[in-house]
Amino acid sequence: MINYKEKLGAIRAFVFDFDGVMTDGSVWTYGDGETVRCGNIKDGYAIQYAVKKGYIVAVISGATSKSIDNRMASLGVEQCYTGCGDKTKTFNDFLQKNGLREEEVLCMGDDLPDYPILKRAGVSTCPADAAVEIREMCDYISIHPGGRGCVRDVIEQVLRLHGQWFHQDAVIW
């Protein structure tokens, strides 16, 4: 069996669920029906850094919210698929559009709707507080819960392995 760290060498793309991965899963609903989610600034930094380094970053989420689209656009993520009832079809389209093989994709999800694409990804990962069934099948379980650094954790591991993480003489802002 191949260690998940060995699989990280092939990673060229990241696919993340949104709620429960980039957020702690909390959704605040206001009287006018608008919902608000809270993300992690360190996760955001890692996402935009990976994009600048040439990695493909995408979100595949069942949720639909302009705030998700806006957050991802602000980080340079051009492939934000929301309202996905069938994540497998979206994942297939993502692979084809980007000329990727499954083993080149690290996927992070936290709950049962993510299971089919986690099963197919080259490296399947999840936050520390993911559903039991997801934790049991993933290659790597972050030490961080959703919305609290799990996204940065996996991005940083891949970029470090590829020699593309922080270098004090080449800080990118």
Side-chain angles (χ1 to χ4, degrees):
M1 185 169 164
I2 297 176
N3 178 306
Y4 93 94
K5 287 259 189 187
E6 294 175 48
K7 294 179 179 182
L8 294 181
I11 299 304
R12 295 180 37 222
F14 299 93
V15 171
F16 297 103
D17 181 28
F18 197 83
D19 290 327
V21 172
M22 293 194 187
T23 74
D24 67 4
S26 297
V27 179
W28 297 6
T29 305
Y30 292 103
D32 64 1
E34 183 179 344
T35 58
V36 177
R37 295 159 168 86
C38 182
N40 183 291
I41 200 72
K42 291 178 183 165
D43 286 345
Y45 177 80
I47 291 166
Q48 64 81 35
Y49 192 78
V51 169
K52 286 180 181 174
K53 289 293 187 175
Y55 290 84
I56 301 163
V57 179
V59 167
I60 298 178
S61 175
T64 302
S65 172
K66 192 72 174 155
S67 64
I68 296 172
D69 298 331
N70 291 342
R71 176 68 174 146
M72 291 300 96
S74 75
L75 298 173
V77 175
E78 297 176 356
Q79 298 181 63
C80 187
Y81 306 100
T82 57
C84 296
D86 182 355
K87 289 188 177 189
T88 300
K89 180 186 180 325
T90 304
F91 186 70
N92 290 339
D93 293 345
F94 168 78
L95 293 174
Q96 183 176 16
K97 174 181 178 178
N98 295 285
L100 292 165
R101 298 183 320 271
E102 291 176 352
E103 58 268 18
E104 296 174 310
V105 179
L106 180 148
C107 186
M108 180 174 266
D110 71 308
D111 213 342
L112 301 179
D114 303 312
Y115 189 94
I117 62 175
L118 287 167
K119 193 81 174 151
R120 292 184 47 208
V123 178
S124 58
T125 65
C126 67
D129 59 345
V132 172
E133 296 85 354
I134 299 302
R135 290 194 317 264
E136 288 176 349
M137 60 84 59
C138 278
D139 295 315
Y140 174 73
I141 303 168
S142 176
I143 61 170
H144 303 285
R148 300 289 182 253
C150 61
V151 171
R152 178 165 179 153
D153 178 17
V154 295
I155 289 175
E156 188 174 329
Q157 286 187 53
V158 171
L159 272 64
R160 280 189 189 280
L161 182 73
H162 292 167
Q164 295 181 307
W165 191 247
F166 176 78
H167 300 283
Q168 69 184 21
D169 298 327
V171 176
I172 296 176
W173 298 108

